[in-house]
Amino acid sequence: MKLTIGHLYPDLLNLYGDRGNIQCFRKRLEWRGIDAEVVPVLSGEKIDFSSLDIVLLGGGSDREQELVCGYLKDIRDDFQNYVEDGGVVLAVCGGYQLLGKYYKTQTKTIEGLSILDITTEWEPQRLVNNIVLNSPLFDTPVVGFENHGGRTYIGNHTPFGKVFFGFGNTGDSGYEGVVYKNVIATYLHGPLLPKNPQVCDYLLERALKRRYGPDAGLEPLPDEMEHRANSYIAGRYSDKKYILKETIKKHT
Ligand code: GLN
């Protein structure tokens, strides 16, 4: 078995090492004897979505996001068909915002792909912090780091998780990210998957089943170290409450 991972625009969208997520996908497949091919798609290049099993869309600054937006327009319909067909996507921060209708900054409105029915609006106070979520998809917390000026309004979409500690989508909605079909869109930056192997395996399993049928699955891995790291971080915030907008100044 083999999965092909498309890394979209690593030349523009790779803030805080979102690339680490690619390594995690690859390693956790290889450790199970499953081949992994990573296809970097540079800005302006064509994408054959039918050959991809997983797509990573990372985060970027507002400037980079605007550049990417231009390239994404050309592939919008193919990307949407891939998502509707159950294609696996991990979209992080700027990538998350780009899946929505628009990202309104102080000076302009960057049009998104409208694959998700969400909108994002910039506010001057950035939401920067460690974050801990409880996601109904997992029985262990999801831990990470967030840094965004945009506030994302997710309408009727299902959130990725409930914020236990941190800011999340808007700083006061109490929710973080979106789950839609086999898309996880989230503000959790950098090594989201190495920190949360349960999220990595969730996405890998969905990609395997889509490509190879319902019986395809993953053998468990000896993840003691990963689980210890994950629960150490979650434990550090276990007696804290999620941060409300009013307290942002105090915490940043
Ligand atoms: N430019 C977006 C924001 O600040 C996303 C930044 C990022 O990807 N970290 O909201």
Side-chain angles (χ1 to χ4, degrees), residues 134-140 158-160 179 183-184 198-199 202 206:
N134 290 317
S135 172
L137 302 178
F138 311 107
D139 49 19
T140 45
T158 306
F160 178 37
V179 180
V183 177
I184 291 183
Q198 73 278 27
V199 181
Y202 171 88
R206 284 176 171 248

Side-chain angles (χ1 to χ4, degrees), residues 15-16 59-62 65 93-94 97 103 126 147-150 189:
L15 267 185
Y16 313 117
S61 67
D62 291 357
Q65 227 169 296
C93 203
Q97 297 171 351
Y103 170 38
R126 294 191 73 78
N147 181 355
H148 49 109
H189 249 304

Side-chain angles (χ1 to χ4, degrees), residues 20 51 70 115 120 146 159 163 176 211 248 251:
S51 68
I115 289 175
T120 301
E146 59 180 327
V163 179
E176 202 290 317
R211 177 70 64 183
I248 287 171
H251 286 269

Side-chain angles (χ1 to χ4, degrees), residues 127-131 144-147 165-167 237 243 251-252:
L127 304 180
V128 189
N129 224 304
N130 288 320
I131 176 163
F145 167 73
E146 59 180 327
N147 181 355
F165 178 82
F167 295 113
Y237 297 100
I243 306 172
H251 286 269
T252 52

Side-chain angles (χ1 to χ4, degrees), residues 194-205:
K195 283 180 179 173
N196 301 283
Q198 73 278 27
V199 181
C200 187
D201 283 0
Y202 171 88
L203 294 170
L204 290 177
E205 202 146 75

Side-chain angles (χ1 to χ4, degrees), residues 203-243:
L203 294 170
L204 290 177
E205 202 146 75
R206 284 176 171 248
L208 281 171
K209 287 192 193 306
R210 175 168 175 261
R211 177 70 64 183
Y212 295 104
D215 291 340
L218 293 168
E219 295 293 320
L221 289 172
D223 281 331
E224 289 82 16
M225 186 85 90
E226 287 83 346
H227 288 148
R228 274 198 355 237
N230 180 289
S231 42
Y232 171 76
I233 292 292
R236 227 160 79 178
Y237 297 100
S238 61
D239 59 346
K240 310 245 181 8
K241 261 183 85 74
Y242 90 89
I243 306 172

